[in-house]
Amino acid sequence: MTGLSFLVLLVAGVGWGYLNLTGQIDTFGADGISGDRPPASPNGQNVLVIGSDTRSGANRKLGGGKGTVGRSDTVFLLHVYADHRHAVAVSIPRDSMVDIPACRTPSGEWTAPQHHVMFNGAFSVGETAEGNPACTQNTVEHLTGLRVDHTVVVDFSGFSALTSAVGGVPVCLPQDIYQQDLSPKRPTRGALVFAKGPQTVSGQRALDYVRIRHGIGDGSDIGRIKRQQAFIGSLIKKVKSQGLNPTTLLPLADAATDSMTVDPGLGSADRLLKFAMSMKNIDLRNTRFVTVPWRYEGARVAIVEPEAHALWAALKADRTIDGHDASGKGKGSRSPERPDDASPSPAAPAPAPVAGTGISLAVYNGTTVNGLAARAAELLRAHGFTVTGTATASNQGRMSTVIQYGPGLQAEAETTARLFGGARTMASGTAGIQVILGTSYAENPSPAAEATPTPSAVPSTIGDGARSADEDLCKDLSYG
């Protein structure tokens, strides 16, 4: 349920401020948090958000399935930049293979560290219905080297109630979805659950929608993450369209606060309100949702290095993931705001056009976005390059675009890189030039040499203009 708790925190905190609600906020104990932690940093805040798919209590009917052990669904780390205007949320797939450090069980014992195991196993350490948020926090800190300032858990029932409280969320399905798509072990296709096309979902149907994994897209958890990210954009837009007033806030705040379990640092109305208000100036257009660099490892997911390390290092330094300082104080960046009486800087000269005549290269799609290599090939040919072929890269979890070049081709590689924002060049023992595309190109396909740079901003991947892969497939359908 990627992104949900970002909205939950804002609604719950602001709701208390407007409505003076009272009540008990569920917290988990701090005694399970490791004593061996990354140091605190003044460079922004890091919030760990965990979607719990426990089947206990009110969640049993909603989530289906059996068992009472708390399990984590989608998890992301939200970095709120020091300027309190920008944020980036990094999803960590639950099937990722990671090292889980020592964690405390309910009996007070500490487990032995686990090597190369599934990430969502951390939440289940101790096998309790409420899960083990502290263990997941320890694992994320161990993985990223970033100190987690706050942790929030949201369950099925909270998600269902929140979508109902806003009157439903618009979505679009590229094909019909049947019961077997939700429960692959069913022997038959079953009844129709969602008809193809645009529709509004809430409650159980909203939960079913964000949990679809099979029978749509590539059938992977990665595809589901993208669907959830787009869904939360639609949900936040719906909340904003209704306005933040007592009539709309009361049911939202009730749903939000009933769904959360938080760390002790957020365990009171005053603390929750203070934290929520610290994020009130973050616009959805300045919030970016990405997935940690990854590749498939059999049926599981491997986190790709050194790309992942570079991502964590950027967040630790409070830089945007394209390498700039979000506060506007870093080298090469600009201040987000300029005093009214300040004179504008002289316009920079227009960049020279990119001419690829005489440069031959191959293009590889390093992402899961269909058709990306063909799109880049068309761009390159338009600038005179000779494209010798397109293919899918062995690693489909790349964030940034890399231009690999053989002996004597550095200048040609640098010319190529000018068409891809944030691309870096890399010497290779292989002859020729290979363009390996990352998600940065999928999200911003405009030629870098012809685009106006905005280094102080964090570009948005969801929001007013955002579309999920499902919506792209639905673009030719009539919306009435």
Side-chain angles (χ1 to χ4, degrees), residues 353-361 380-386 412 415-416 419:
V354 177
T357 304
I359 302 177
S360 298
L361 43 73
L380 288 159
R381 291 188 182 105
H383 284 264
F385 292 82
T386 298
E412 289 84 348
T415 297
T416 306
L419 283 180

Side-chain angles (χ1 to χ4, degrees), residues 142-434:
H142 180 77
L143 171 68
T144 66
L146 295 164
R147 189 180 185 94
V148 174
D149 298 290
H150 294 295
T151 294
V152 180
V153 183
V154 179
D155 61 21
F156 280 159
S157 63
F159 178 86
S160 175
L162 198 60
T163 58
S164 295
V166 300
V169 178
V171 299
C172 183
L173 275 298
Q175 62 198 58
D176 292 340
I177 299 297
Y178 295 87
Q179 287 178 316
Q180 192 177 51
D181 297 320
L182 292 174
S183 304
K185 293 183 180 180
R186 283 182 59 95
T188 61
R189 187 173 71 170
L192 180 69
V193 179
F194 295 103
K196 175 181 177 179
Q199 54 208 279
T200 298
V201 296
S202 64
Q204 177 71 62
R205 287 179 58 77
L207 185 61
D208 288 343
Y209 173 80
V210 297
R211 295 180 64 228
I212 298 172
R213 178 169 180 171
H214 303 277
I216 189 172
D218 63 1
S220 71
D221 190 47
I222 303 296
R224 180 167 58 178
I225 286 173
K226 294 178 181 178
R227 185 175 305 109
Q228 292 169 346
Q229 291 171 346
F231 182 90
I232 209 64
S234 295
L235 175 57
I236 295 176
K237 284 169 60 179
K238 184 67 176 291
V239 172
K240 291 172 64 177
S241 70
Q242 294 178 340
L244 293 180
N245 56 68
T247 301
T248 58
L249 278 173
L250 180 57
L252 288 172
D254 282 343
T257 53
D258 285 345
S259 72
M260 292 193 307
T261 300
V262 300
D263 69 89
L266 294 177
S268 71
D270 289 343
R271 293 172 182 171
L272 187 64
L273 174 60
K274 181 179 179 181
F275 180 71
M277 295 306 289
S278 75
M279 298 193 295
K280 66 182 177 65
N281 291 323
I282 301 175
D283 192 278
L284 189 60
R285 290 187 297 271
N286 294 329
T287 303
R288 187 168 187 172
F289 281 72
V290 299
T291 302
V292 65
W294 63 276
R295 61 176 172 78
Y296 285 116
E297 187 175 90
R300 305 303 179 200
V301 171
I303 293 177
V304 176
E305 299 293 357
E307 286 88 347
H309 177 79
L311 170 62
W312 309 133
L315 299 186
K316 185 179 296 184
D318 208 43
R319 296 193 305 269
T320 64
I321 58 178
D322 57 2
H324 297 283
D325 180 352
S327 68
K329 298 178 181 178
K331 182 179 179 180
S333 64
R334 68 181 186 186
S335 174
E337 297 179 354
R338 179 175 56 85
D340 292 338
D341 59 352
S343 300
S345 300
V354 177
T357 304
I359 302 177
S360 298
L361 43 73
V363 182
Y364 296 86
N365 186 353
T367 78
T368 58
V369 179
N370 292 332
L372 197 63
R375 184 195 306 174
E378 182 179 350
L379 169 68
L380 288 159
R381 291 188 182 105
H383 284 264
F385 292 82
T386 298
V387 179
T388 59
T390 60
T392 299
S394 57
N395 169 16
Q396 293 182 270
R398 288 190 176 274
M399 289 188 60
S400 58
T401 297
V402 175
I403 316 297
Q404 294 184 346
Y405 61 90
L409 295 174
Q410 181 175 356
E412 289 84 348
E414 291 175 351
T415 297
T416 306
R418 290 177 55 200
L419 283 180
F420 302 94
R424 56 190 175 93
T425 58
M426 178 183 298
S428 169
T430 304
I433 298 176
Q434 294 82 41

